[in-house]
Structures are given as C-alpha cells and as structure tokens.
Amino acid sequence: MSDGTRSGPVARALRILEVVAERGGATAREIADATGLPLPTVYRLAAELADADYLVHIRSESRYELGHQVHALGLSLHRRLGLSRGVTREISLLHESTGFAAYLAILRGSTLVIVHVVDSPDCPRLHPMRFGFHEAPHATAFGKIQLAEMEVAARREFVDRQDLRAFTANTLTEHAPLARELAVVGRDGIAWEHEEFLAGWACAAVPVRAADISLVGAIAVSAQAHRFPSAAPATDRLVARLRQVASRVGAQLRGTLN
C-alpha cells in the first residue's frame, strides 16, 4: 500500500507502525520501500515513535520493532471487546476440535470486525483475515451473518458503499441472488461461503447474540474447500459445534459490550 492514499504526519506514522507490525519488524529502508515515504522522513517519524515507546530501535540489527505502548493499547482494546481468557480459549478449542482456522468477529458500530484468529500451518487463516479485517461482507461467511440481520433498505445502502466486487467466479455480485442467499442465512442461522472470497477455500459462520438476541458477533471457521464438509452428518456436526461455541462465547461477552 502506497502512502499516496494517506496524508499528514499522523497517517504516515500509523503506516509505519502497520508495516512494522505486518513484517514483525523492519529496517528504515524496508519501511520506506513499503510506504513510499522518503528515507529521511522514515528516520524522523520512527525516532519520534521510538521516543514515545510505540517502536523500539534494535540498533545491532538496524531495525525497528513494536514498542510496549502498542501492546498496552492492544490489551485495552481486548478488555473493551470482552476478549477474556475464556473467550479466546473457546476459539482455540474450536480450532483444535475441527482442524480448521477459527475466527471471532465482534460488531463494532455497524460492522463485524475480526478480533481473534487461531490457525496452524496445516490450516492457516484466509489471507488477509487478521485482527481488524471487515471487508467484503458479501463474500465472507461472517459478513453474510451481519448482512442477514439488516433491514433490506439499510443492507442495500451498506452493500453499495462496500462494492459488490467479484473476488472469484463464485462471488455473488448482484443484489437479487445475494438477497435470496441472505434470506436462507437468516432462516437457518448459519452462513456458508464456498470459494467466494478465495479460490480453493470455504467458510462457515454462525451469529453470537446478546441476551435480547441482538447480534453482537460471529464465530467462523475456514479450511481448504476439499476438506470442508458438504453433506450430512458432517455438516450437522460442524454446525452444532459452531453453535455450541457461539453460545458459550455469547454468555461470556454479555455485559461487556455496550
């Protein structure tokens, strides 16, 4: 991503933090190449971030890594989202019991946002689904959970702002077929995604609800399409497992999300 899409010192500093986070550390030259910022600007902004403990300069390796202030912000956000050890444990157990990458998304404002992912080398998360991902609701299982909850007019306006982009040959890019699928999602309480976001991969998601049954989040899993169940009783077992986790997570989240 080029810095041309952002302007101002704050936006540039944030982009530097993003590059360092994405790469697990980066040199000033790597940051400059990734952001399009002049090298002197990178050195100046990185030094300011290091002074404020948002970056750490590893002088022996001529690279920057995230500082403890970023960790403190992350802990604060996790507390606000209600991500207790019990909640994250449920997502870990879902991954272990299914062998699929497991996700928790939380409703932030009007958007479901991924806040926790557990995966493994044998079944990695879908790229680029990491903390903060919320794009392409029409092409993701957890996104369909959100869309199915919305009133028709509000949903159409929301989807039009997002753009019904085709990610694969299977992506639904017309309002009518998407509306028909979302009606099924609303009826059945589960969303399926078969190679609509990324070719060769499939997903499933169920809603997480508050005590008043309003939507507060979603539990999802993804795996290579050939590993994903396509018929009963395997699909029934997966649905039951997802709903079990959603129920437990919902019980733990209640009272923490306002």
Side-chain angles (χ1 to χ4, degrees):
M1 175 178 173
S2 170
D3 191 65
T5 61
R6 296 181 175 184
S7 61
V10 173
R12 292 171 183 172
L14 290 173
R15 183 58 184 138
I16 289 174
L17 289 173
E18 290 170 356
V19 170
V20 173
E22 289 167 0
R23 300 187 177 207
T27 65
R29 171 54 65 187
E30 289 170 339
I31 295 170
D33 291 343
T35 61
L37 290 171
L39 192 57
T41 300
V42 170
Y43 278 121
R44 176 175 58 80
L45 291 175
E48 292 177 5
L49 289 167
D51 287 343
D53 293 324
Y54 286 96
L55 287 180
V56 174
H57 188 200
I58 311 299
R59 297 184 184 278
S60 61
E61 301 176 15
S62 299
R63 59 191 279 111
Y64 294 92
E65 295 184 359
L66 295 180
H68 75 268
Q69 286 288 12
V70 175
H71 180 62
L73 289 176
L75 289 177
S76 178
L77 178 58
H78 274 212
R79 285 194 296 269
R80 180 66 188 88
L81 294 173
L83 297 191
S84 64
R85 184 172 298 178
V87 168
T88 58
R89 176 64 174 160
E90 288 292 342
I91 308 305
S92 294
L93 290 173
L94 177 61
H95 167 63
E96 294 170 9
S97 63
T98 61
F100 300 161
Y103 309 80
L104 170 63
I106 293 294
L107 192 64
R108 299 291 285 167
S110 61
T111 305
L112 272 178
V113 178
I114 289 180
V115 297
H116 191 64
V117 185
V118 181
D119 61 356
S120 63
D122 290 338
C123 197
R125 69 193 68 189
L126 295 182
H127 180 75
M129 289 192 183
R130 59 182 183 274
F131 187 96
F133 181 88
H134 60 277
E135 291 83 1
H138 66 294
T140 64
F142 76 91
K144 291 178 186 179
I145 291 292
Q146 176 191 352
L147 294 178
E149 293 285 311
M150 302 175 74
E151 296 293 336
V152 174
R155 181 172 70 210
R156 185 171 187 123
E157 181 181 352
F158 181 83
V159 168
D160 283 342
R161 290 200 307 270
Q162 297 287 320
D163 180 23
L164 288 177
R165 170 186 168 192
F167 291 89
T168 74
N170 291 342
T171 308
L172 296 176
T173 59
E174 299 292 335
H175 283 285
L178 178 60
R180 288 194 292 271
E181 176 160 349
L182 294 176
V184 175
V185 172
R187 181 196 70 198
D188 296 345
I190 183 164
W192 301 94
E193 181 266 298
H194 298 284
E195 301 189 70
E196 296 166 49
F197 182 73
L198 186 63
W201 294 80
C203 304
V206 299
V208 176
R209 300 195 179 278
D212 63 358
I213 75 166
S214 62
L215 184 71
V216 296
I219 299 293
V221 291
S222 70
Q224 297 91 334
H226 71 273
R227 295 183 56 209
F228 223 67
S230 58
T235 54
D236 295 339
R237 287 195 297 269
L238 179 59
V239 172
R241 182 72 181 107
L242 286 168
R243 287 177 173 158
Q244 180 186 56
V245 174
S247 177
R248 291 175 176 171
V249 169
Q252 295 187 59
L253 289 177
R254 286 169 197 150
T256 65
L257 300 175
N258 298 310

